[in-house]
Amino acid sequence: IMNILLAATVLAGISSMVSMCLAFNVLFTGGAMVWEFGFNPVFGKVSFCVDSLSAFFLLVISIMGFLAVLYSNGYLKPYAEKGKKIGGHVIFLLLLIFSMELVVTCSNAILFLIFWEIMSVSSFFLVIFENDKKDVLKAGIKYLVFMHVSVLFIIASFVLSQCHGNASIVFLLAFIGFGTKAGFVPFHNWLPEAHPAAPSHVSAIMSGVMIKTGIYGILRVILSAGVPDKWLCYLVLIVSAISGLYGVLYAIVQHDLKRLLAYHSIENIGIIGIGIGIGMLGLSYGSRIVAFLGFAGGILHVLNHSIFKELLFLAAGNVYLKTHTRDIESLGGLVKKMPVTAAMFLIASVAICGLPPFNGFISEFLIYFGMIKGLGFDSFYVLILIMFVLAALALIGTMAILCFTKAFSVVFLGTPRSGHAQIEKSSSGKTIILPMCVLALFIFLIGMFPQYAVLIVSSPVLMFTGEVEL
């Protein structure tokens, strides 16, 4: 069993290194890499392209995927010791990571849909790892149904775009399809069920990385559709603001630690959507600086959220591994027994609240700055909309601070509230701590040296805006 985990880690590590080299090469040269293959008549000529947008998502997927696989070595060990078969789970874990990498690099519509389907099915099997539990199986099936409904909208948008249909309708269909995968309200219902049901390293990949493939799809459609209609910009901003508020308000009342984190994924997808919406608004009103700030904030938040949310889920996995419960109210006093996990959870909590000096602050600052610049547009409706979204984003941040203050203090501070808080020793090893320390380092480095993070995202952002005088 340990050989299987070791082989998977090595394979994921090699894949991650190759993907990172490709991604950094493209991001810092501003070019693109294309590979073409002649397939059978069904597919025709198939090309895989790594341009700046693909390279950015490839970077996020490869790094976060590898760290989650590394963590799984320690997380799955207690299950293996109890006789649980994990070989199939490890295969699906690698399949999920590889399919996501193919999704963001494939230029052929039919193959894209095939890789998209492989991504959905492999993640379904990962979600139902503990399939002896009825609620886990129910959550997995619900997730699979939502993913297949979403792909119908994606297919419809692809077909309509080939028929040279209305670009706004194409975008709307794509937004519903890809937005379901991302977790925008009202297409989010699967997310609070599936993320808590999955093992923690799978929750980390799904929340930190997989839902971002939906964001990738939306961004790719914006690139192909050109300058968006103004009403689409308003729609994206309103849906995103509602998603952010809905996610954070529902998170506050949760007692299940992983369910709380799942609702915060909806909140942060809303924040990313606000950035994209401001970017679209900038394009629509001919302001490159507003477009740059919006897209830069949104795309950087894709990276930032993947880092701190993966760290939060891995820390929650440690808590579950040692206490066998996700019920916040039955824990307490864990800081004395799990000081490293407590420190990691605290760092990620500060980051997700958008507080300096950590990474979440940087991307949210860019989005705020973009909105303030957008107030100069000569439109009463835009003024009202941006004021509403500004207030929503401020409220989201305030509620996030309230939620994570409660979560950290109830889980880690005070005294134990039940027998669950009396942790047991396990043989998980250092592989559950090392990935968390790496993620915490990323949070700190991006927060302290934001100019390098902005440099990484500037290449994909310029694909939308063209050259910008800052």
Side-chain angles (χ1 to χ4, degrees), residues 366-382:
L366 289 171
I367 295 170
Y368 273 116
F369 196 26
M371 282 193 280
I372 291 167
K373 284 278 188 181
L375 289 171
F377 291 152
D378 187 21
S379 168
F380 176 73
Y381 298 110
V382 171

Side-chain angles (χ1 to χ4, degrees), residues 14 80 89 98 128 141 143 158 165 230 241 255 284 335 397 400 413 421:
I14 293 169
H89 178 83
F98 295 149
I128 61 167
I141 292 169
Y143 165 66
F158 282 6
K230 291 181 175 63
H255 299 288
S284 190
V335 68
L413 303 181

Side-chain angles (χ1 to χ4, degrees), residues 96 100 119 123 143 181 205-206 208-214:
L96 173 61
M100 287 191 292
M119 176 176 67
S123 52
Y143 165 66
K181 172 69 83 175
I205 291 181
M206 289 178 70
V209 186
M210 191 194 72
I211 61 175
K212 309 300 176 27
T213 58

Side-chain angles (χ1 to χ4, degrees), residues 274-332:
I274 289 171
I276 292 170
I278 292 296
M280 292 171 67
L281 204 63
L283 291 180
S284 190
Y285 279 87
S287 172
R288 289 188 177 185
I289 183 66
V290 172
F292 183 90
L293 289 167
F295 282 121
I299 292 174
L300 181 56
H301 205 71
V302 168
L303 173 62
N304 287 341
H305 177 250
S306 72
I307 296 169
F308 56 64
K309 183 49 69 67
E310 183 155 316
L311 180 52
L312 284 166
F313 268 115
L314 298 188
N318 280 11
V319 171
Y320 178 71
L321 210 58
K322 298 291 180 70
T323 64
H324 303 294
T325 184
R326 301 195 306 258
D327 181 18
I328 295 171
E329 304 300 330
S330 64
L331 297 170

Side-chain angles (χ1 to χ4, degrees), residues 103-130:
V103 158
V104 300
T105 54
C106 181
S107 302
N108 179 282
I110 297 173
L111 264 186
F112 173 90
L113 291 169
I114 291 171
F115 295 140
W116 187 269
E117 187 67 10
I118 292 170
M119 176 176 67
S120 297
V121 173
S122 59
S123 52
F124 161 73
F125 283 110
L126 291 170
V127 167
I128 61 167
F129 176 63
E130 298 186 74

Side-chain angles (χ1 to χ4, degrees), residues 26 57 132 239 271:
V26 170
F57 280 87
D132 51 326
V239 168
I271 294 172

